């Protein structure tokens, strides 16, 4: 029996015998080549010796696979050709034996050339007879390697010359490995590994569990297809090839060819007659899937792939290179996305599913939600839902496509959810959350241009609180009083609030500028906060200016990590074989929030009713709502953001066309607490349960409130630091009620209603394609 992995096992010829045989073979090759050259007039035979590609010269397109964070579960497959190269010594014997039995039964003993075939072709050439087309495996690989087409005499000559060179330079094992990784098997599958996955959902890797490895019978079905991988386009019914799922004729072709291969396996000693008799033709070939080569891009995680590619384009390893380098490079890209967290995100935020919270199910078609979850301390994006298709609009963020164009619709005015950054800036400045503020229903702020005589008028509270008109900062936060936070922003200064948001994770904000109907993106990383602040007004403190769901989630993760910011990112590693191409660089920057400041932040925001989880985890959060245009009763953007010690997430709920949120029963009563709030809570509870973490390891610490003094204008005692009680009269999330706030100093710069965008992907007009986006 001739073993697949031992080409020295055939025969025991002595060295002199082998030498005479080799000289005779070379003479025959010379005669064949000479005859072909003479017949075709191609006297420049040296051309073929010098210019033909050898395997080391080939850069075969190979599918790149994108994985979830576990590095084992595929998320998507990229590339024009579905190919996964497996080294010869890592393949099991099933395909090695079947392909030899199918295509070249003298493979292990021949010199890479079918001498009789070449001579027949030469003789036919000289005499005008029928063309000859038979080839060895080595010649077939030579044809593929040189990208030769058609049965012509010059092609036959080139095949012979390349095959001769290959056989001299490489071992039989190497040549068979080249062939098995290169030859087409149909259905867009190139190479045996892609074919095994496409047709049977299995692998040829010998280190895989036996139940997942390609069997001999299955390999014989695949190797039968090499004879004609696809149907003849001129006669697909009459010449359908050997794919048994194509039609009845193709199935019979496959069975006949399978029997031929089985007989060859017996003749070559790969099977005993008894084994062959007991071998059954497998009827487990998968149905034809036209998208088998490029999978996963039409699912919500297709948007993750867009961000992955955008991120890699900014790395040193891939910057300036065409996308084909990544897609067809045969890379293994491991993302940061945890499949368990992703499933929880899609279950909650895809409001068309039955798994979404009841409050947001069965709503109008223009309703849209987005959710991003980030791991505190690392910046790893664990879950991302920006829409239900990777080929559609992204409502959670934006990314650069391969042409440098910005894509996505992820920026939305955050409303009161942005007050988290105001509060963080306040406690950083040692403004206690028990400090009292004048908090009437309305209040003028002349310094910011918000007076009775201004177009926008004074600042109004959208909600009420029992503490009014004198409220502690924590009470104003829970009730989301706009008057209090507008005054807080004035005291801190616009630049300080923006600086806190920027350092926490908000990389971009969208400013409204006079004469431009579209909000303009401002990259906060490119300039000092004081300079960026010139493009915004005091209304920044109550959430007028758009930010992305992704940035907001990263900001929440920073507070969850005790004020340690990490860059939000999607890629953990990129490898090719044993080579490490790229690895995430985890780094943190400190916001300067001391332990007391973090504790006061947690203590305050855990009192927001919408942030309370029912699974025993400590949690903190904030709702937010932004009204539609000048309306005081209709809302177009609603938010819920927050964190536990192990997970942070931001949820936005709005519309795809910029129209106000209106329920299926005609109500406009949609707020952060009633729309995104249930999405956020369901996600956080399911995700933390799926991660199987101990909540006791992530408890919030209690603040000490140093220097706390009794309030000067009320006899209501402040709640003790351990009390979880809310304000005596809990209210829904606040909605900034000013119809059209007027930024200072120019009243004509007041913001316009949120623009109506088409849900189809198109470049954001404010993002310059020439600007390089740093890795996220």
């Amino acid at each position: 029996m001739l073993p697949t992995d031992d080409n020295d096992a055939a025969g025991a010829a002595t060295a002199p015998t082998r030498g005479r045989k080799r000289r005779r073979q070379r003479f025959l090759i010379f005669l064949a080549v000479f005859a072909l050259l003479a017949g075709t007039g191609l006297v420049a035979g040296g051309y073929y010796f010098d210019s033909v590609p050898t395997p080391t010269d080939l850069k075969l397109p190979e599918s790149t696979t994108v994985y979830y964070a576990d590095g084992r579960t595929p998320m998507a497959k990229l590339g024009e050709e579905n190919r996964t190269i497996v080294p010869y010594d890592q393949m099991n014997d099933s395909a090695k034996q079947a392909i030899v039995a199918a295509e070249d039964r003298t493979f292990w003993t021949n010199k890479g050339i079918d001498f009789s075939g070449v001579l027949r072709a030469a003789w036919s050439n000289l005499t005008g007879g029928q063309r000859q087309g038979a080839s060895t495996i080595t010649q077939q690989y030579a044809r593929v390697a040189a990208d030769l087409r058609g049965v012509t005499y010059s092609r036959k000559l080139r095949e012979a010359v390349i095959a001769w060179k290959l056989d001299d330079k490489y071992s039989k094992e190497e040549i068979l490995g080249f062939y098995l990784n290169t030859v087409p098997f149909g259905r867009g599958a190139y190479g045996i590994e892609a074919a095994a996955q496409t047709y049977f959902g299995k692998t040829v890797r010998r280190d895989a569990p036996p139940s997942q490895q390609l069997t001999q019978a299955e390999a014989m079905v695949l190797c039968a297809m090499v004879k004609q991988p696809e149907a003849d386009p001129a006669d697909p019914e009459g010449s359908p090839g050997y794919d048994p799922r194509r039609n009845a004729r193709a199935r019979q072709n496959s069975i006949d060819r399978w029997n031929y291969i089985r007989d060859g396996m017996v003749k070559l000693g790969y099977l005993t007659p008894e084994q062959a008799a007991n071998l059954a033709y497998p009827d487990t070939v998968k149905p034809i899937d036209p998208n088998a080569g490029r999978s996963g891009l039409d699912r919500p995680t297709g948007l993750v792939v867009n961000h992955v590619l955008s991120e890699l384009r900014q790395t040193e390893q891939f910057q300036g290179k065409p996308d084909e380098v990544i897609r067809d490079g045969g890379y293994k890209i491991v993302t940061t996305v945890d499949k368990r967290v992703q499933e929880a995100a899609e279950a909650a935020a895809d409001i068309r599913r039955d798994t979404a919270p009841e409050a947001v199910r069965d709503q109008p078609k223009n309703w849209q939600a987005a959710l991003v979850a980030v791991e505190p301390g690392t910046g790893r994006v664990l879950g991302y839902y920006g829409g239900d298709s990777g080929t559609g609009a992204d409502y959670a963020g934006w990314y650069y496509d391969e042409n440098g164009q910005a894509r996505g619709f992820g920026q939305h005015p955050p409303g009161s959810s942005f007050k988290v950054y105001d509060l963080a800036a306040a406690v950083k400045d040692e403004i206690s959350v028990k400090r009292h503020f004048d908090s009437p229903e309305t209040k003028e702020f002349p310094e910011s241009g918000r007076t009775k005589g201004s177009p926008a008028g004074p600042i109004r509270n959208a909600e009420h609180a029992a503490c009014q008109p004198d409220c502690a900062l924590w009470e104003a936060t829970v009730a989301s009083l706009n008057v209090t936070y507008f005054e807080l922003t004035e005291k801190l200064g616009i630049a300080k609030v923006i600086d806190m948001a920027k350092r926490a994770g908000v990389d971009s904000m969208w400013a409204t500028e006079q004469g431009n109907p579209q909000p303009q993106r401002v990259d906060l990383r490119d300039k000092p906060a004081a300079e960026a602040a010139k493009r915004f007004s005091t209304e920044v403190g109550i959430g007028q200016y758009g930010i992305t769901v992704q940035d907001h989630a990263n900001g929440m993760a920073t507070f969850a990590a005790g004020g340690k910011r990490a860059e939000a990112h999607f890629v953990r590693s990129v490898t090719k074989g044993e080579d490490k191409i790229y690895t995430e660089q985890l780094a943190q920057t400190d916001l300067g929030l001391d332990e007391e400041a973090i504790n006061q932040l947690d203590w305050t925001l855990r009192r927001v009713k919408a942030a309370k989880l029912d699974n025993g985890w400590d949690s903190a959060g904030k709702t937010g709502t932004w009204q539609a245009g000048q309306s005081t009763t209709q809302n177009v953007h609603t938010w819920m953001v927050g964190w536990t010690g192990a997970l942070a997430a931001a949820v936005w709920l709005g519309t795809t066309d910029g129209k106000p949120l209106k329920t299926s029963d005609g109500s406009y009563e949609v707020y952060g607490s009633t729309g995104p709030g249930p999405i956020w809570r369901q996600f956080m509870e399911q995700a933390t349960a799926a991660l199987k973490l101990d909540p006791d390891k992530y408890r919030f610490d209690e603040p000490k409130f140093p220097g706390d003094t009794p309030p000067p204008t009320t006899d209501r005692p402040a709640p003790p630091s351990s009390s979880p009680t809310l304000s005596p009269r809990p209210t829904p999330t606040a909605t900034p009620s000013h119809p059209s706030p007027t930024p200072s100093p120019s009243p004509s710069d007041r913001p316009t209603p949120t623009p109506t965008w088409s849900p189809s992907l198109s470049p954001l007009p404010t993002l310059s394609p020439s600007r390089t986006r740093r890795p996220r």
Side-chain angles (χ1 to χ4, degrees):
M1 181 167 96
L2 182 64
T4 302
D5 294 327
D6 187 2
N7 64 320
D8 292 328
T14 62
T17 301
R18 286 198 302 268
R20 287 193 297 273
K21 186 176 180 181
R22 184 179 182 87
R23 287 192 295 273
R24 184 166 58 250
Q25 289 171 340
R26 288 181 178 273
F27 179 69
L28 289 172
I29 293 172
F30 172 77
L31 287 178
V33 170
F34 179 80
L36 282 169
L37 286 172
T40 59
L42 297 176
V43 295
Y47 165 82
Y48 294 112
F49 287 86
D50 296 333
S51 64
V52 292
T54 56
T56 53
D57 302 321
L58 296 176
K59 297 191 181 299
L60 299 173
E62 183 181 358
S63 298
T64 286
T65 304
V66 182
Y67 292 86
Y68 285 94
D70 61 8
R72 298 185 302 274
T73 308
M75 178 186 293
K77 181 165 285 189
L78 312 176
E80 296 302 320
E81 292 185 4
N82 180 15
R83 187 198 314 273
T84 302
I85 295 175
V86 177
Y88 179 87
D89 58 0
Q90 294 180 22
M91 297 180 188
N92 67 20
D93 287 342
S94 62
K96 299 175 185 177
Q97 296 172 347
I99 200 67
V100 170
E103 295 296 319
D104 184 3
R105 294 177 183 179
T106 65
F107 173 75
W108 294 105
T109 58
N110 67 42
K111 291 304 299 176
I113 301 175
D114 177 5
F115 301 108
S116 60
V118 174
L119 289 172
R120 283 197 306 270
W123 180 253
S124 296
N125 179 30
L126 292 171
T127 62
Q130 185 178 4
R131 294 178 177 180
Q132 306 295 313
S135 298
T136 66
I137 280 178
T138 309
Q139 285 175 270
Q140 290 182 50
Y141 173 71
R143 184 189 317 161
V144 174
D147 196 27
L148 306 175
R149 305 291 182 185
V151 183
T152 66
Y153 306 130
S154 61
R155 191 218 76 193
K156 207 68 181 174
L157 167 63
R158 297 180 70 184
E159 264 185 32
V161 173
I162 299 172
W164 188 14
K165 290 181 66 177
L166 290 172
D167 200 75
D168 267 353
K169 187 171 182 179
Y170 297 98
S171 69
K172 288 289 187 179
E173 290 82 1
E174 288 176 303
I175 293 172
L176 192 58
F178 297 151
Y179 181 81
L180 285 171
N181 278 311
T182 306
V183 70
F185 286 85
R187 298 194 190 183
Y190 290 78
I192 189 63
E193 177 67 6
Q197 294 173 7
T198 299
Y199 287 91
F200 292 102
K202 292 190 174 183
T203 179
V204 297
R205 292 184 179 276
R206 62 168 65 250
D207 58 354
S211 63
Q212 298 177 18
Q213 291 188 37
L214 191 72
T215 67
Q216 281 184 317
E218 291 165 343
M220 290 158 63
V221 173
L222 296 182
C223 292
M225 297 186 204
V226 173
K227 186 174 180 66
Q228 186 186 343
E230 301 288 354
D232 184 349
D235 185 17
E237 294 300 320
S239 182
Y242 295 81
D243 186 336
R245 297 302 292 264
R246 187 167 285 131
N247 59 29
R249 186 163 187 167
R251 172 178 164 78
Q252 189 58 52
N253 289 348
S254 176
I255 292 173
D256 292 344
R257 184 74 173 165
W258 187 89
N259 288 328
Y260 167 79
I261 296 172
R262 182 185 58 183
D263 292 343
M265 298 274 282
V266 173
K267 290 179 180 179
L268 291 171
Y270 296 143
L271 292 175
T272 66
E274 293 76 19
Q275 289 172 327
N278 293 325
L279 203 62
Y281 180 89
D283 282 317
T284 53
V285 174
K286 296 167 66 175
I288 296 174
D289 178 4
N291 297 315
R294 299 186 67 179
S295 61
L297 301 182
D298 58 341
R299 296 194 286 265
T301 47
L303 295 176
V304 172
V305 175
N306 292 337
H307 284 273
V308 164
L309 293 176
S310 179
E311 189 173 307
L312 288 178
R313 293 183 195 111
Q314 315 309 317
T315 65
E316 180 182 352
Q317 292 84 345
F318 297 104
Q319 192 172 36
K321 297 179 180 178
D323 258 24
E324 290 77 7
V325 172
I326 302 175
R327 289 197 299 257
D328 299 332
Y331 297 107
K332 177 181 180 180
I333 300 175
V334 179
T335 70
T336 60
V337 175
D338 188 297
K339 192 173 191 296
R340 300 165 297 177
V341 177
Q342 181 66 24
E343 288 175 347
E346 293 179 19
D350 187 347
I351 59 178
R352 310 295 170 223
R353 297 189 188 184
D354 292 338
T355 56
E358 185 177 357
V360 294
R361 289 202 306 264
D362 302 320
Q363 295 298 345
K365 292 182 179 179
N366 71 336
W367 279 38
Q368 178 68 48
L371 184 155
V372 181
V374 177
E375 183 178 57
T378 67
R380 291 170 177 156
V381 177
L382 300 183
Y384 191 94
Y385 181 82
D388 61 3
S389 174
T391 60
D394 187 344
Y395 292 96
W398 65 274
Y399 57 89
Y400 280 130
D401 68 12
E402 58 190 295
N403 298 316
Q405 296 291 329
R407 302 285 181 176
F409 297 87
Q411 70 88 9
H412 320 282
S416 292
S417 69
F418 197 84
K419 292 174 181 174
V420 176
Y421 304 109
D422 303 47
L423 185 62
V427 295
K428 183 176 183 294
D429 272 12
E430 298 184 354
I431 297 177
S432 171
V433 297
K434 291 189 177 182
R435 177 170 172 175
H436 281 244
F437 286 78
D438 183 28
S439 306
E441 289 301 308
T442 63
K443 188 172 183 177
E444 294 186 283
F445 292 91
E447 183 180 336
S448 297
R450 298 303 299 270
T451 63
K452 292 180 180 178
S454 67
I459 295 295
R460 296 178 176 84
N461 288 320
E463 301 298 338
H464 308 282
C467 59
Q468 289 179 275
D470 180 75
C471 293
L473 182 56
W474 76 268
E475 293 173 307
T477 303
V478 171
S480 204
L481 300 181
N482 294 330
V483 167
T484 306
Y485 268 84
F486 200 88
E487 180 174 342
L488 178 63
T489 304
E490 271 201 347
K491 289 181 179 296
L492 293 169
I494 299 170
K496 191 167 288 187
V497 172
I498 289 178
D499 186 59
M500 176 56 68
K502 165 188 172 181
R503 295 172 62 198
V506 179
D507 290 338
S508 304
M509 292 180 65
W510 275 256
T512 304
E513 297 184 349
Q514 184 177 6
N516 197 323
Q518 293 281 5
Q520 303 296 295
R521 176 179 171 268
V522 179
D523 191 336
L524 301 183
R525 297 166 301 175
D526 283 356
K527 52 182 67 66
E531 183 179 342
K534 296 175 183 178
R535 302 183 66 175
F536 303 97
S537 66
T538 312
E539 282 79 8
V540 71
I542 54 176
Q544 172 182 312
Y545 301 102
I547 62 175
T548 68
V549 185
Q550 180 181 330
D551 280 359
H552 217 354
N554 196 28
M556 298 306 102
T558 297
F559 298 132
K564 305 296 190 298
R565 186 249 175 97
E567 292 286 341
H569 62 284
F570 290 86
V571 182
R572 293 190 70 156
S573 66
V574 180
T575 56
K576 185 168 184 178
E578 301 298 322
D579 297 330
K580 293 183 178 180
I581 309 300
Y582 172 81
T583 304
E584 64 179 346
Q585 302 297 313
L586 299 181
Q588 294 181 344
T589 55
D590 196 327
L591 296 190
L593 295 171
D594 60 22
E595 184 177 353
E596 176 66 17
I598 287 294
N599 292 344
Q600 288 196 31
L601 195 65
D602 290 340
W603 183 89
T604 301
L605 294 174
R606 71 185 300 184
R607 282 158 172 72
V608 174
K609 185 177 180 180
K612 181 175 176 55
L613 301 179
D614 293 331
N615 61 354
W617 279 78
D618 287 354
S619 56
K622 186 72 186 74
T623 56
T625 306
W626 193 257
Q627 294 170 335
Q630 298 183 7
S631 172
T632 58
T633 60
Q634 300 175 0
N635 303 315
V636 71
H637 300 284
T638 59
W639 289 78
M640 178 71 208
V641 302
W643 64 87
T644 67
L647 185 65
V651 177
W652 165 84
L653 177 68
T655 58
T656 57
D657 53 14
K659 293 181 180 179
L661 285 159
K662 183 180 180 180
T663 65
S664 54
D665 59 5
S667 172
Y668 288 103
E669 297 292 317
V670 184
Y671 305 98
S673 59
T674 60
I679 295 175
W680 184 87
R681 288 192 297 275
Q682 176 181 308
F683 165 74
M684 293 295 285
E685 290 173 3
Q686 291 184 354
T688 50
L691 291 173
K692 298 180 180 179
L693 301 174
D694 182 358
D696 288 333
K697 295 182 179 180
Y698 299 93
R699 296 297 178 194
F700 296 160
D701 292 330
E702 295 294 324
K704 297 181 174 58
F705 298 110
D708 184 34
T709 56
T713 58
T714 178
D715 55 2
R716 290 181 299 100
S721 62
S722 60
S723 171
T725 312
L726 292 173
S727 175
R729 200 182 82 177
T731 58
T733 181
T735 303
S737 61
H738 47 285
S740 182
T742 306
S744 176
S746 172
S748 63
D749 279 345
R750 67 188 186 190
T752 56
T754 302
T756 301
W757 285 318
S758 166
S760 61
L761 285 175
S762 61
L764 291 175
T766 60
L767 295 173
S768 170
S770 62
R771 177 173 293 171
T772 299
R773 185 165 173 79
R774 288 193 284 270
R776 299 184 49 83

